[in-house]
Amino acid sequence: DIQVTQSPSTLSASVGDRVTITCRASQSLTNRLAWYQQKPGKAPKLLIYKASILESGVPSRFSGSGSGTEFTLTITNLQPDDFATYFCQQYNALWTFGQGTKVEIK
Amino acid sequence: QVQLVESGGGVVQPGGSLRLSCRTSGFTFSDYGMHWVRQTPGKGLQWIAFLRFDETNKYYANSVKGRFTISRDKFRNTLYLQMNSLRPEDTAVYFCARQHGDYYFDSWGQGTLVAVSS
């Protein structure tokens, strides 16, 4: 099974900050990695797929990069609506999620 | 618009059974592979089952293999998860999700809570 390690587990930031979340896979995913945002009591929402492609309707302050085993999600100019939990997901071999990163207000 | 609505969750004793449903609308259900994913505070998101659009392939996580069965009714546009021999560690919010052709999940339901407790 492919393991996905996401860090950090919690991140404190302020409005306007630039934040970066990392996912590392136990084997190469090529670019088969997605990022989701989840708010309390809600379903996850797709942000990015194929490591770097923004889902339609997602603000351009979100970006993804990486390939192989190391990937990052970057949020520039953090907005109040962005305080949430973020998950990565590999879909190269079955499906595995990272443990999640909670972005909280500093 | 695409909608997925889960139902069927509740409280059940260890060893018991439950069937979850995921009613879909806003898209051609028979064109999409579908998944069940669960979420617990301790273990985060865990993928548990997949059913191909034409039902020719099913996959399960090891933790539920042999106990859970995924199925679909194309006439009712509904996905199901039959859960047998339930254990306390199956307690979670269960989501259904639609698979994009490239295998990531592009739509999710709002979830239904399953609690396994005596």
Side-chain angles (χ1 to χ4, degrees), chain A residues 1 32 34 36 38 41-46 49-50 55 87 89 91 94-99, chain B residues 35 37 39 44-47 50 59-60 62 95 99 102-111:
Chain A
D1 291 7
R32 299 172 77 80
Y36 300 87
Q38 188 180 30
K42 300 293 186 182
K45 172 190 169 186
L46 176 67
Y49 59 92
K50 278 188 181 177
E55 172 72 342
F87 295 92
Q89 176 207 36
Y91 52 96
L94 297 183
W95 300 269
T96 315
F97 292 90
Q99 298 88 340
Chain B
H35 296 261
V37 177
Q39 186 171 34
L45 288 166
Q46 181 189 20
W47 168 80
F50 162 71
Y59 298 113
Y60 297 95
N62 289 335
F95 296 95
Q99 177 179 290
D102 197 37
Y103 305 136
Y104 53 88
F105 302 171
D106 63 1
S107 294
W108 297 64
Q110 85 290 349

Side-chain angles (χ1 to χ4, degrees), chain A residues 56-79:
Chain A
S56 176
V58 174
S60 58
R61 62 182 180 270
F62 292 90
S63 63
S65 64
S67 66
T69 62
E70 188 154 336
F71 302 85
T72 58
L73 171 70
T74 301
I75 313 171
T76 56
N77 188 21
L78 195 69
Q79 295 299 296

Side-chain angles (χ1 to χ4, degrees), chain B residues 18 49 79 107:
Chain B
L18 214 53
L79 179 74
S107 294

Side-chain angles (χ1 to χ4, degrees), chain A residues 1-5 23-29 68-69 90 96:
Chain A
D1 291 7
I2 297 180
Q3 310 303 316
V4 179
T5 303
C23 273
R24 289 185 174 86
S26 58
Q27 57 186 272
S28 178
L29 307 178
T69 62
Q90 71 81 16
T96 315

